[in-house]
Amino acid sequence: MLRPQFPASSISDMAARLSSIPATMAVVLGLSGLGLVVWSFRIDATTFALGTATAGFATLLLALGARSAHWLTQWLANRDRGRLEQILGDSADACLLTAGTSGEILWCNATARTRLGSENGQKIEVALSDLHGEPETFARRLHYIARRDGQAEHALDIAGHGRQYRVSQLSQDHQFWRITFPDPTDLRDSLTFRMLQFQADGTLSYASPGLRSALAGRSPQLKQVFRAGMPPAGQPVALTPEYFGPHCTGFLLPGAAEDNEITVVVSTPPSQMPDQQDPRSPPPESLQDLPIGLAHIDTDGRLGFCNAEARRLLQLRGSALPELSDLLEGLGRPIIEWINDIGAGRVPRATEVLRLTHAPVETYLKVTLCQPSAEDAGKLVAVISDVTEFKSLEAKFTQSQKMQAIGQLAGGVAHDFNNLLTAIAGHCDLLLLRHDRHDPDYPDLMQIQQNTNRAASLVRQLLALSRKQSLQFVTLDLQETMTDVIHLLNRLVGEKITLTLRPGEGVPPIRSDKRQFEQVLMNLVVNARDALPMGGEIRIETLARNLPHGLVRDQVTLPPGDYSVIKVSDDGTGIPQSVILKVFDPFFTTKRQGEGTGLGLSTVYGIVKQSGGYIFVDSEEGVGTTFSMYFSAQEPEKRKPSPRQDPVVQSGPLSRPRALVLLVEDEAPVRSFAARALELQGHRVIAAESGEAALEILADRQIRPDCFVSDVIMPGLDGPGWIMQVRDQFPVTPVLFISGYAEDNRLAAQARITNAAFLGKPFSLAEFTAAVDAQLRRTEAAA
């Protein structure tokens, strides 16, 4: 199918128009100013009034000139885009005009709109998001090459997608993208060389149009194609005259069998090969047209031949052919040793993924080396292909596995630490009951308590990282929340930094945990503060945003709807582009040792994701950084009047001060602290170390506990499990579940146990006793 071509002269003309807009405005303003100068020379003592009027007229000309220049700018831009629409509007290729620096789409044709979903004002990487696994890196690489060489081309494996990308640098500020999609016909028919393809069992599956007539409807088996039997890969040999004539040659394509498909390239058509030609002559010209990179390598590692695709993949310039070790790295040992192993026959065939050393952006190539024949011991055949996209997907998969492993580790560590911290904090509280402020041991006990709280805060960050903390979701009014937390944030940033709050109008509330949302703001503000060593400004901005078509960014798709956006920005040092993709990784930090744990931003990411939100980062070195959080907009909650509370529930002492509490906890230090805390409140306590032990105690019908306090996860029978077994015997007895793992809250809730509450570890003596008393009062109120 013919496609309209984009004339180079039209591109240059339009680029000149677009780049000369500021010059046009300058000319108009300059002419207006010249009129003012000329008239000023005509002023004398008798014509001062006339000169003044003239100056006013000239000023009017300046205003009209500026307005005309703006109108001319718009007219020229619309005219040139109209020409683009006339020339390429109906093209089967996706055509896009972008701003060279920002990548913003200025114009796109109908194919780009339908096949890429692109639109004016969109970033080019967004348009490429459905075509490429790493659109930002891919667009940046082509942008760099086009600015350097004037044009950049990239073709995907034609047996796969068959897309071709061409980027032309029109002017300093404009680039033209053209993406060619394959025709609906068989892609192989458009190749410029002749080939046969066979299935793994040797059955013919495809023949090029030029060979179909020679075969005349026959379908030879693979073993019938070669005159002298199957040759080594890459070595041209004579083909069977019965099918191809007396002088037809071809060779097996190296590496084709890896895809369960064997390809034979017919390098010389019938009756065109002289009888005296050496079948080991230099590679035929048809190798240059192969869409697969082929190269010959000497045993000393120097390239001897590269076809066009191999030169493109290796980014070779000029006619020089360097050593392979100068171009590739990442093997873990010298590349020459790898080549020698294959040349000496110790390894018959090997495939490695290597990194291109001199590429402007990270590029990975898959290189397969093999020896064509024993007679050709001094030459190896290399098959080269681009696997950058595959490596990118592999890295993302590895990262997701690492995050999952870290999350599981963090959750398990947090569970054990919370048990230890509960025992430490609890026994510290018991000691503080016996030591007042004048006691010499009091400061030491307070240090223990404060450091325990710091350790508990670190554990909460680990739980936020693993997204397994227990969040109490409420509807947050952003205006009220920001006003409440701004005083604390001002104390964090210090005197040299100004913290500015810019609330938007009509910003809907969001659903999140209030304490954890404040933690997110604190972490982001502290991160911004550390990026302003000489002082500056930190801005917190809220705004409402409607996304009727959703948003695709950073491999994340936001569904259509209304969002509340919170932005935290600074004018600090910025984040280098080389590490910006790692800022949310756990334990990653650019600060010096001892200045940061590397958990601040990863905690922010965990809390935002657990709250159902999205977070993005934009940064430029020397300019500043902006973190943008998107939360689904919620309806404001109606203010409900506080219900009149039962005075019995709010009374100080219980009507039954000596309640019987069955305490089930497998951790001995926690069990000891909890029992002593309840006994200090006047309760009687029966302690058990497991669910099975609790069932044995309750087998005595004379024991009737007033409250159950149980850990959730224990060896053997867990908390909800033993409670369910005795629920018929104690249907209304209140239950307090305690655990150091937030997932246990969901487990307890799934058991559907009535009159139950949950208290997460670590907790203080006051929090624990208050929770038990609340459960006992609930029972009294119900009675």
Side-chain angles (χ1 to χ4, degrees):
M1 180 176 63
L2 293 177
R3 298 184 175 94
Q5 298 298 314
F6 194 90
S9 59
S10 299
I11 292 176
S12 301
D13 179 64
M14 282 178 237
R17 297 288 188 192
L18 291 169
S19 61
S20 64
I21 286 173
T24 305
M25 185 180 294
V27 169
V28 173
L29 294 175
L31 290 175
S32 301
L34 180 61
L36 178 61
V37 172
V38 171
W39 277 98
S40 67
F41 275 108
R42 298 182 60 186
I43 298 175
D44 55 24
T46 58
T47 61
F48 181 77
L50 178 60
T52 302
T54 305
F57 180 69
T59 303
L60 177 61
L61 284 177
L62 282 173
L64 291 175
R67 182 66 178 172
S68 299
H70 175 73
W71 175 84
L72 182 61
T73 298
Q74 296 296 325
W75 183 82
L76 287 173
N78 292 334
R79 187 199 65 178
D80 289 339
R81 292 170 190 171
R83 288 180 176 178
L84 284 172
E85 189 67 35
Q86 291 177 354
I87 299 172
L88 294 170
D90 298 329
S91 173
D93 296 343
C95 302
L96 309 97
L97 180 68
T98 65
T101 53
S102 65
E104 180 182 349
I105 298 174
L106 305 176
W107 171 86
C108 56
N109 68 349
T111 303
R113 290 192 293 270
T114 56
R115 302 197 67 161
L116 306 181
S118 58
E119 57 186 22
N120 292 348
Q122 193 180 60
K123 297 285 189 180
I124 183 65
E125 54 264 28
V126 177
L128 300 177
S129 59
D130 291 337
L131 304 181
H132 202 279
E134 196 69 37
E136 290 186 1
T137 303
F138 178 65
R140 190 163 58 247
R141 178 171 57 178
L142 292 187
H143 168 78
Y144 172 84
I145 296 174
R147 286 184 66 88
R148 183 190 64 188
D149 301 337
Q151 187 169 355
E153 292 189 3
H154 177 78
L156 293 178
D157 181 12
I158 200 165
H161 298 288
R163 290 187 299 273
Q164 183 174 8
Y165 301 83
R166 290 190 294 274
V167 184
S168 302
Q169 188 73 28
L170 303 185
S171 66
Q172 185 69 20
D173 300 323
H174 294 84
Q175 287 185 337
F176 180 74
W177 288 69
R178 186 164 191 160
I179 305 172
T180 302
F181 297 93
D183 290 330
T185 58
D186 195 323
L187 296 172
R188 297 171 292 187
D189 287 352
S190 61
L191 298 176
T192 58
F193 58 90
R194 296 163 295 279
M195 71 174 184
L196 302 170
Q197 285 190 320
F198 297 86
Q199 297 176 3
D201 60 357
T203 304
L204 180 67
S205 60
Y206 172 79
S208 296
L211 296 175
R212 294 171 193 165
S213 57
L215 292 175
R218 298 172 294 176
S219 298
Q221 292 289 315
L222 176 61
K223 61 183 179 180
Q224 299 174 323
V225 169
F226 297 101
R227 179 186 297 179
M230 293 287 288
Q235 179 179 338
V237 295
L239 302 183
T240 306
E242 177 185 354
Y243 293 101
F244 306 100
H247 303 300
C248 190
T249 62
F251 61 91
L252 278 174
L253 189 66
E258 294 180 355
D259 300 324
N260 296 324
E261 197 171 58
I262 303 170
T263 302
V264 177
V265 177
V266 180
S267 54
T268 307
S271 305
Q272 290 188 10
M273 175 181 168
D275 291 334
Q276 67 273 16
Q277 182 173 342
D278 186 355
R280 291 176 296 169
S281 58
E285 290 298 323
S286 58
L287 288 180
Q288 292 287 351
D289 301 327
L290 282 173
I292 299 173
L294 287 179
H296 287 170
I297 303 175
D298 298 334
T299 52
D300 60 357
R302 182 169 294 277
L303 293 170
F305 162 79
C306 286
N307 69 349
E309 179 66 8
R311 296 183 70 88
R312 185 188 70 81
L313 292 173
L314 295 172
Q315 300 186 14
L316 297 177
R317 299 287 182 269
S319 58
L321 294 175
E323 293 184 6
L324 195 65
S325 58
D326 295 335
L327 301 174
L328 300 171
E329 65 178 6
L331 191 59
R333 60 170 178 155
I335 290 182
I336 188 64
E337 292 184 7
W338 180 46
I339 295 174
N340 290 336
D341 286 344
I342 300 171
R346 291 189 290 269
V347 180
R349 180 193 190 93
T351 299
E352 297 287 350
V353 175
L354 305 174
R355 189 176 70 87
L356 199 59
T357 57
H358 60 282
V361 294
E362 205 164 42
T363 303
Y364 290 91
L365 301 178
K366 184 177 80 169
V367 181
T368 300
L369 288 184
C370 61
Q371 192 169 357
S373 65
E375 302 172 0
D376 250 338
K379 181 175 62 176
L380 302 177
V381 175
V383 181
I384 307 170
S385 57
D386 190 345
V387 292
T388 304
E389 293 181 53
F390 172 78
K391 288 292 291 184
S392 174
L393 293 174
E394 183 184 52
K396 287 188 175 183
F397 178 70
T398 303
Q399 175 70 5
S400 67
Q401 284 188 316
K402 181 178 72 173
M403 289 292 292
Q404 183 180 7
I406 290 177
Q408 292 176 346
L409 175 64
V413 168
H415 179 272
D416 294 336
F417 263 78
N418 278 332
N419 280 324
L420 294 174
L421 293 175
T422 300
I424 295 172
H427 285 91
C428 182
D429 288 343
L430 292 173
L431 287 173
L432 285 171
L433 292 177
R434 301 196 299 269
H435 296 76
D436 59 19
R437 294 179 180 272
H438 305 290
D439 194 294
D441 294 331
Y442 186 83
D444 296 333
L445 293 173
M446 290 303 299
Q447 280 293 324
I448 295 174
Q449 187 183 62
Q450 291 172 7
N451 283 281
T452 303
N453 292 335
R454 289 181 57 191
S457 176
L458 182 60
V459 171
R460 282 195 295 270
Q461 291 189 50
L462 287 172
L463 287 172
L465 164 66
S466 62
R467 304 184 205 171
K468 292 179 179 178
Q469 61 183 338
S470 180
L471 298 185
Q472 301 296 326
F473 285 100
V474 295
T475 302
L476 296 179
D477 183 285
L478 290 178
Q479 177 95 18
E480 293 181 2
T481 304
M482 296 296 180
T483 304
D484 292 341
V485 79
I486 195 69
H487 304 292
L488 173 62
L489 298 178
N490 271 318
R491 290 197 296 269
L492 287 174
V493 298
E495 298 178 354
K496 296 190 299 182
I497 298 175
T498 302
L499 182 62
T500 305
L501 178 62
R502 299 178 179 174
E505 294 185 1
V507 180
I510 65 173
R511 291 281 292 176
S512 184
D513 182 287
K514 187 175 188 300
R515 187 182 65 177
Q516 295 300 328
F517 181 73
E518 291 174 352
Q519 182 70 50
V520 166
L521 293 177
M522 289 174 58
N523 286 10
L524 291 177
V525 168
V526 168
N527 188 75
R529 179 200 64 187
D530 294 341
L532 294 166
M534 305 303 294
E537 182 185 12
I538 300 174
R539 296 171 298 279
I540 302 178
E541 180 183 3
T542 62
L543 63 148
R545 186 171 181 188
N546 175 259
L547 300 176
H549 305 293
L551 177 67
V552 178
R553 178 179 172 180
D554 300 343
Q555 307 297 310
V556 176
T557 301
L558 276 69
D562 294 323
Y563 290 86
S564 297
V565 183
I566 302 99
K567 293 185 177 183
V568 179
S569 56
D570 62 74
D571 302 324
T573 55
I575 303 172
Q577 293 300 312
S578 58
V579 301
I580 197 169
L581 298 178
K582 302 178 182 178
V583 295
F584 295 120
D585 288 0
F587 310 109
F588 175 80
T589 179
T590 58
K591 300 175 183 177
R592 290 178 296 182
Q593 188 173 3
E595 292 186 356
T597 62
L599 288 176
L601 292 180
S602 57
T603 300
V604 168
Y605 183 83
I607 294 174
V608 171
K609 296 301 291 183
Q610 195 176 1
S611 300
Y614 307 86
I615 183 168
F616 306 103
V617 57
D618 299 283
S619 186
E620 184 177 349
E621 287 190 85
V623 177
T625 303
T626 299
F627 287 90
S628 302
M629 295 174 286
Y630 288 73
F631 294 91
S632 296
Q634 305 292 326
E635 292 292 333
E637 284 188 347
K638 294 182 179 179
R639 301 279 184 177
K640 296 180 179 180
S642 299
R644 186 177 62 87
Q645 297 179 342
D646 194 332
V648 176
V649 178
Q650 295 299 324
S651 61
L654 294 170
S655 59
R656 289 184 298 173
R658 292 182 57 80
L660 178 61
V661 179
L662 176 58
L663 172 64
V664 185
E665 168 62 58
D666 61 314
E667 290 285 340
V670 177
R671 188 170 64 250
S672 172
F673 151 66
R676 289 186 59 188
L678 293 174
E679 289 170 351
L680 287 174
Q681 296 295 309
H683 303 305
R684 294 173 297 152
V685 180
I686 302 176
E689 63 183 9
S690 65
E692 290 81 0
L695 294 179
E696 291 179 7
I697 293 172
L698 295 177
D700 185 350
R701 297 290 179 174
Q702 294 182 355
I703 299 178
R704 306 289 298 181
D706 300 307
C707 180
F708 296 136
V709 178
S710 174
D711 195 1
V712 178
I713 298 298
M714 295 178 292
L717 198 60
D718 61 17
W722 78 261
I723 291 288
M724 291 297 293
Q725 291 191 28
V726 300
R727 206 53 175 163
D728 291 339
Q729 184 180 352
F730 302 94
V732 296
T733 302
V735 181
L736 178 64
F737 288 113
I738 57 176
S739 178
Y741 195 25
E743 283 291 318
D744 299 347
N745 187 13
R746 299 188 181 91
L747 182 61
Q750 290 172 358
R752 301 183 182 278
I753 297 174
T754 58
N755 203 13
F758 180 84
L759 179 63
K761 300 175 185 176
F763 46 75
S764 66
L765 184 149
E767 290 172 337
F768 176 62
T769 56
V772 174
D773 288 349
Q775 286 298 93
L776 291 171
R777 286 194 178 99
R778 284 179 58 183
T779 304
E780 290 184 357

